[in-house]
Amino acid sequence: MARVKEHIRSLRAYTPGIQPKAGEQVIKLNTNENPYPPSPLVMHAIAQECKDRLRYYPDPTSTTLRKAISSIFNVPPECVLCGNGSDEILRILLATFTEKGDRIGYYQPSYSYYATLGSIHNLTLVPTPLGKDLTRPPFPNLANLSLFFLTNPNSPLGFSLTPEYVAKIARHLKGILVVDEAYADFARWNCLHLLKTCPNIIITRSLSKSYSLAGLRVGFALGAARWIRHMDKVRDHYNLSRVAQAAACAALTDRSHFEQNVQKVLRTRDRVSQALRAMGYEVLPSEANFLFVRPKGTRSARTIYQRLFRSGILVRYFDQPGLRDGLRITIGTDTEMDTLLAHLKTY
Ligand SMILES: *Cc1c(COP(=O)(O)O)cnc(C)c1O
C-alpha cells in the first residue's frame, strides 16, 4: 500500500514570509526582496526570448549565463553551477555530499531552510547556538560534519563574519563549507578570494536580492571544478528556463544598474538605522538589505509586528529563541521606510 515515508510525515515544512495576493496594497518588508525594479535590459531580454523560442527546451548547461558569471567573478566556467534559485543549489549540495545519517552543521539562528533540507534527506542536524555577543560568535561544532552551512552575512541578524574567520572554519572542517552569500553584495567584504586557498569552500549566490529578481529564481554556486562536476549530475537537466537564463545574463551584465541599486539600498539602510536608534530601538549593525531591530523597555516585538500588520506593513517576526525579542525589517524605498518610521513613532 502507498505510504508516505516516516520522516516526511513528521517533517515541519519551511515557512516562507507572507506573499500578498495580486492587487493587495501592502508595504512589503518581510522577505528581503529589492524595492527597485531590475535592469531594463532584463525586460528586453525576456521579450526577445518569448518572441518565438519558448517552444524549444533551454540550454541544459546554461552556457552563456555561466560564461557571464565566470567573467564577472573571475572564475573558470567549469567552477560555476547555476540553479533554480540558490535554494536549489542548497538541495543539490545535500544530494551530492551527504548520505542518510550524515551530520550537517549551521549556526542557529541562520537560514532555517538548511534544517528543513537536512530533515528531508534524513541527516543529523548539528546547530551551533550563536550566543549573545554577535561580534564574537562561538567557534562552531565541526566534529564529523559532511557539510557546514554558513549564512554570511547572517540572516536574520545581519552581521558578517570576516574572511579570516571563515577561512579558519574551513581549515578545521573535514567536509564542505558552504558559504551562503545571498546578501554579500550589501556587505563590506565577501569570501570569493578564499576559493583560491580553501579547496573545501563552495560559495552560493542569488539574484533574488541584489539584482531584484526574486520572482525569476536564479542562483549559482562557485567552487572547485572537481566538486561542481559532480553537483552538475544531480540537478534537473533543464533546471533554468530560457527566460531565466536570458534575464539573468542581462541583469548580471548591466553592472551600472546593479551598483546604483545596491548603493540606494545602502544609503536608506544607514539613514533608517540612525532614525530607529534615535527612537530608542536597538538596531544591530547590518551588512545586508535588512535590519534586525529590538524594541527597548516594555514594548514587545510581537505587538509591534501585529500593529504594523494591521496597518498594511509586513515585517518578519520569528517566534524562536534568540529572535522573538526583535523584528527583521527589509530595506524598502525611502518612501516606504518613511511610512514605517511614521507608524512606529505613534506607538
Ligand atoms: C534568500 C536566501 C536564499 C534563497 O535565495 P533564492 O536564490 O531566492 O533561492 C538562500 N539563502 C539565504 C540566506 C537567503 O536569504
Side-chain angles (χ1 to χ4, degrees):
M1 197 183 75
R3 196 174 149 73
V4 174
K5 291 193 271 188
E6 205 47 54
H7 75 283
I8 300 295
R9 276 174 189 276
S10 55
L11 181 74
R12 287 190 48 189
Y14 177 81
T15 344
I18 298 168
Q19 298 298 340
K21 295 184 199 74
E24 234 177 292
Q25 287 297 319
V26 294
I27 296 183
K28 193 170 179 318
L29 308 175
N30 65 337
T31 50
N32 298 342
E33 288 133 333
N34 197 300
Y36 303 109
S39 158
L41 300 184
V42 167
M43 283 40 118
H44 181 73
I46 291 175
Q48 286 299 106
E49 210 53 50
C50 291
K51 243 192 225 160
D52 56 359
R53 294 195 278 251
L54 284 185
R55 65 199 178 88
Y56 297 116
Y57 278 114
D59 170 8
T61 51
S62 302
T63 317
T64 313
L65 176 56
R66 279 175 41 247
K67 281 203 183 120
I69 294 167
S70 155
S71 75
I72 290 165
F73 295 89
N74 200 19
V75 295
E78 58 273 21
C79 298
V80 182
L81 182 82
C82 295
N84 184 20
S86 63
D87 283 345
E88 188 200 12
I89 300 284
L90 300 175
R91 186 187 289 272
I92 293 171
L93 282 161
L94 288 183
T96 309
F97 291 101
T98 66
E99 322 241 12
K100 182 177 171 183
D102 277 8
R103 293 155 55 87
I104 61 160
Y106 46 85
Y107 277 120
Q108 194 152 33
S110 68
Y111 188 36
S112 62
Y113 192 44
Y114 311 137
T116 308
L117 279 174
S119 302
I120 292 171
H121 287 82
N122 244 323
L123 305 174
T124 302
L125 309 178
V126 186
T128 296
L130 265 176
K132 279 264 175 262
D133 183 3
L134 299 176
T135 58
R136 257 183 290 165
F139 197 73
N141 178 2
L142 302 176
N144 302 315
L145 299 185
S146 305
L147 278 176
F148 186 89
F149 288 104
L150 180 68
T151 321
N152 206 45
N154 179 281
S155 176
L157 295 166
F159 69 91
S160 184
L161 299 175
T162 63
E164 293 72 33
Y165 199 86
V166 175
K168 192 174 156 193
I169 297 176
R171 276 198 305 277
H172 285 79
L173 175 68
K174 294 227 174 59
I176 295 284
L177 175 58
V178 180
V179 186
D180 182 341
E181 292 198 337
Y183 300 102
D185 289 323
F186 303 103
R188 281 171 295 174
W189 55 65
N190 61 58
C191 291
L192 285 173
H193 63 282
L194 295 183
L195 290 174
K196 294 207 177 73
T197 50
C198 306
N200 60 336
I201 284 186
I202 294 175
I203 290 178
T204 64
R205 291 284 182 111
S206 170
L207 269 63
S208 297
K209 282 90 186 208
S210 49
Y211 291 88
S212 307
L213 289 172
L216 191 70
R217 313 303 304 129
V218 178
F220 54 92
L222 304 173
R226 67 179 219 264
W227 308 134
I228 298 292
R229 188 157 56 87
H230 294 290
M231 291 168 65
D232 193 47
K233 294 183 280 186
V234 167
R235 63 178 178 82
D236 286 342
H237 33 272
Y238 297 125
N239 62 337
L240 267 74
S241 72
R242 279 184 169 271
V243 171
Q245 292 183 38
C249 275
L252 283 161
T253 318
D254 192 346
R255 298 316 286 165
S256 78
H257 180 93
F258 162 76
E259 279 154 23
Q260 286 171 36
N261 184 331
V262 168
Q263 283 311 314
K264 274 192 285 189
V265 171
L266 296 190
R267 275 198 297 274
T268 308
R269 181 183 78 192
D270 294 343
R271 180 176 75 82
V272 173
S273 305
Q274 284 178 21
L276 287 167
R277 286 194 186 111
M279 288 164 63
Y281 288 89
E282 182 196 356
V283 182
L284 299 187
S286 171
E287 297 282 335
N289 67 336
F290 57 82
L291 297 170
F292 194 83
V293 174
R294 292 195 180 100
K296 289 191 194 147
T298 55
R299 293 173 294 182
S300 93
R302 183 202 292 271
T303 311
I304 296 173
Y305 164 79
Q306 286 164 343
R307 288 187 70 167
L308 288 172
F309 185 86
R310 285 196 294 272
S311 310
I313 302 175
L314 296 185
V315 300
R316 196 80 190 264
Y317 175 71
F318 299 95
D319 197 357
Q320 295 164 29
L323 297 177
R324 56 172 67 95
D325 60 343
L327 300 169
R328 192 190 68 185
I329 305 176
T330 305
I331 302 301
T333 62
D334 279 308
T335 316
E336 289 173 329
M337 299 316 275
D338 286 340
T339 307
L340 169 85
L341 292 170
H343 273 87
L344 290 176
K345 276 206 180 100
T346 65
Y347 296 172

